[in-house]
Amino acid sequence: MRVLFIRSNPVSPDSRLEKEVNTLINAGHNVTILCWDRDSNYQEKKEKKELFDNFCDIYRIGIKATYGGGIKMNFFPLIKFQYQIVRHLKSHKDYEVIHACDFDTGFISYLFKSKKFFVYDIYDYYAHSFNVPNFIKKVIEFIENYLFNHSDYSIICSEKRLKQISNIKTNKICIIHNSPMKFEVKDYKFQFSNRVKIVYVGILGENRMIRELVEVVKKDSSMELHIGGFGPLDSFISDASNKYENIVFYGKIPYQKTIYLEQKCDIIPALYSPRVKNHVYAAPNKFYEAGFLGKPTIMIKNSGMSELVDSNHLGLTIEDNKESLRNALAKIVNEIDYWKLQSETIKEYYEINFSWEEMSKRLVYLYDDLEKDKC
């Protein structure tokens, strides 16, 4: 089938979307991406996107906005992006499936559902993602639940997410975990010291203990922090890397390079604060990447997947404060030889429960089911 993925970031990278697109192309579908580049203003432009072992067409729309700025700072750019989604769908009528990622693409895309299949892929439950007045939150929640229940299929990232979304009426739900897919990792020739190395690559925003991680590592010569990504804390991290030799900042890097970096490091934290309701149900990429590579992780108690870290001895869980983080890092540093011995056990747990091979089968089955309905 001819499929359009719609995403409100530039997909440079977006590991979950790229894995899903790659999987569907391998299954014989013709997939295109429409996405939003917030770095500068420009008209829709078509490019070729390199995936893991495929290429696809990608349309990027440049509307300048702030990463991590929330609805208040990005309201008007978001409205412009909605208009551009409509414009694209009106001028490209041959798509058979609209695969919308999150509410900020799902709401407007649903209006075109009558002659197409509509797949609603929920990375984050929108109503719980931002601090907005309660009555606005209720409206968003009502609409998002409506989309969830009226899609041809909905995708969520963990079983726990079912508890978050109320009034579920549909049985067309597919759970696809954020598992890494296996691919040949290139050698990027990065330089590493003999210190215990901590790595985080992702959104550089608040409520992920990034500031605290920097503060702890900069004062401890036994550790080294390798950090990459993009977001509101770019300049804070760049300044720290210029000032402290044990903090290395890479900026925005592709997914393949992220996995290489994580493979070379020792600890992969996934520090989502449970003060954000969405984080209680989150399925962080870092949790899966740590399991895939056999590395210990550190998670905050009562955040998504933290109970699995405790019950399966995949790392340590902490309180939501800097001192607890400091103690956990020190403990893993002191026991690093033990955690290296645990590596194969961690990988085995991941492989049994979350492998991308299993997740890709679920996604292909979903699209096979849609094709049956088409016939």
Side-chain angles (χ1 to χ4, degrees):
M1 291 189 292
R2 293 180 296 279
V3 183
L4 177 68
F5 272 68
I6 311 180
R7 185 73 165 121
S8 65
N9 72 33
V11 190
S12 63
D14 185 320
S15 61
R16 182 178 176 90
L17 183 145
E18 290 177 45
K19 285 179 296 189
E20 289 182 353
V21 170
N22 194 79
T23 294
L24 291 176
I25 292 173
N26 283 337
H29 299 286
N30 184 344
V31 187
T32 300
I33 302 168
L34 176 66
C35 62
W36 177 8
D37 183 353
R38 306 185 188 196
D39 286 339
S40 59
N41 293 311
Y42 55 83
Q43 295 298 311
E44 178 182 289
K45 62 182 179 182
K46 181 181 179 181
E47 299 172 330
K48 281 290 181 185
K49 171 72 178 173
E50 184 178 2
L51 302 166
F52 297 91
D53 49 20
N54 288 294
F55 288 85
C56 76
D57 289 336
I58 182 167
Y59 292 87
R60 287 197 173 95
I61 298 164
I63 303 170
K64 196 163 178 59
T66 305
Y67 287 103
I71 291 176
K72 287 182 180 178
M73 291 184 68
N74 289 329
F75 179 75
F76 289 109
L78 180 60
I79 296 299
K80 289 179 182 177
F81 181 55
Q82 304 304 299
Y83 169 75
Q84 292 295 333
I85 293 173
V86 171
R87 190 169 172 272
H88 184 90
L89 288 170
K90 281 186 173 181
S91 61
H92 297 77
K93 296 181 179 179
D94 59 338
Y95 299 123
E96 296 167 274
V97 185
I98 299 173
H99 190 123
C101 305
D102 286 334
F103 180 77
D104 52 12
T105 71
F107 175 64
I108 202 74
S109 302
Y110 179 77
L111 301 179
F112 291 81
K113 181 184 182 299
S114 60
K115 296 180 181 179
K116 305 177 191 300
F117 292 112
F118 177 71
V119 176
Y120 191 39
D121 200 339
I122 303 172
Y123 293 30
D124 289 301
Y125 192 51
Y126 213 73
H128 298 165
S129 298
F130 303 102
N131 290 319
V132 294
N134 200 48
F135 78 94
I136 295 178
K137 188 172 289 189
K138 291 290 183 185
V139 170
I140 294 172
E141 192 171 308
F142 173 82
I143 298 171
E144 186 155 27
N145 288 351
Y146 181 89
L147 295 177
F148 190 88
N149 285 315
H150 289 80
S151 64
D152 294 290
Y153 255 105
S154 287
I155 299 174
I156 56 177
C157 56
S158 74
E159 289 80 0
K160 198 171 181 181
R161 188 74 81 181
L162 290 168
K163 299 175 184 177
Q164 183 183 21
I165 304 168
S166 58
N167 301 316
I168 295 172
K169 297 173 185 174
T170 182
N171 61 355
K172 295 277 190 172
I173 301 169
C174 183
I175 296 169
I176 297 179
H177 289 272
N178 288 333
S179 316
M181 66 180 290
K182 292 176 182 175
F183 59 92
E184 186 177 346
V185 181
K186 299 174 187 175
D187 185 354
Y188 288 95
K189 310 292 184 185
F190 290 168
Q191 297 298 310
F192 298 98
S193 73
N194 291 323
R195 300 181 179 105
V196 174
K197 291 170 282 295
I198 304 144
V199 57
Y200 172 84
V201 181
I203 299 297
L204 304 177
E206 304 291 354
N207 296 310
R208 299 192 182 201
M209 289 194 89
I210 293 171
R211 290 183 186 274
E212 291 85 348
L213 191 57
V214 169
E215 291 296 321
V216 169
V217 172
K218 75 181 188 183
K219 296 177 180 176
D220 193 325
S221 60
S222 68
M223 306 173 194
E224 186 170 277
L225 175 61
H226 293 259
I227 187 163
F230 59 94
L233 297 181
D234 275 10
S235 57
F236 167 76
I237 296 159
S238 180
D239 290 345
S241 69
N242 290 330
K243 197 171 180 180
Y244 300 97
E245 65 164 348
N246 62 338
I247 297 175
V248 185
F249 181 45
Y250 297 88
K252 189 188 292 188
I253 59 175
Y255 185 62
Q256 289 90 333
K257 197 173 283 190
T258 297
I259 295 295
Y260 169 80
L261 195 56
E262 291 175 338
Q263 191 179 60
K264 294 293 184 180
C265 291
D266 304 295
I267 307 169
I268 305 176
L271 299 165
Y272 280 40
S273 172
R275 287 174 291 177
V276 178
K277 191 171 182 180
N278 229 11
H279 290 178
V280 176
Y281 305 96
N285 287 346
K286 304 304 130 192
F287 166 81
Y288 299 103
E289 288 161 13
F292 174 66
L293 296 168
K295 310 286 183 177
T297 189
I298 300 173
M299 297 192 77
I300 301 171
K301 291 175 183 176
N302 301 316
S303 64
M305 302 300 192
S306 63
E307 71 278 5
L308 296 182
V309 173
D310 274 336
S311 59
N312 296 283
H313 204 51
L314 307 175
L316 300 178
T317 59
I318 63 170
E319 301 299 330
D320 191 4
N321 62 66
K322 185 168 71 174
E323 196 55 38
S324 188
L325 175 62
R326 187 195 312 278
N327 292 339
L329 286 170
K331 183 173 174 59
I332 294 179
V333 168
N334 290 334
E335 299 173 349
I336 198 63
D337 291 337
Y338 164 78
W339 286 106
K340 287 178 179 177
L341 290 173
Q342 279 290 103
S343 179
E344 290 306 314
T345 303
I346 294 172
K347 286 181 186 177
E348 184 180 355
Y349 172 80
Y350 163 84
E351 196 65 30
I352 291 169
N353 293 280
F354 303 116
S355 75
W356 182 253
E357 286 69 28
E358 173 57 33
M359 299 305 121
S360 63
K361 288 176 188 175
R362 296 180 186 183
L363 182 62
V364 171
Y365 173 81
L366 182 163
Y367 270 79
D368 286 348
D369 205 28
L370 291 180
E371 278 204 286
K372 289 176 191 172
D373 289 343
K374 185 179 82 167
C375 298

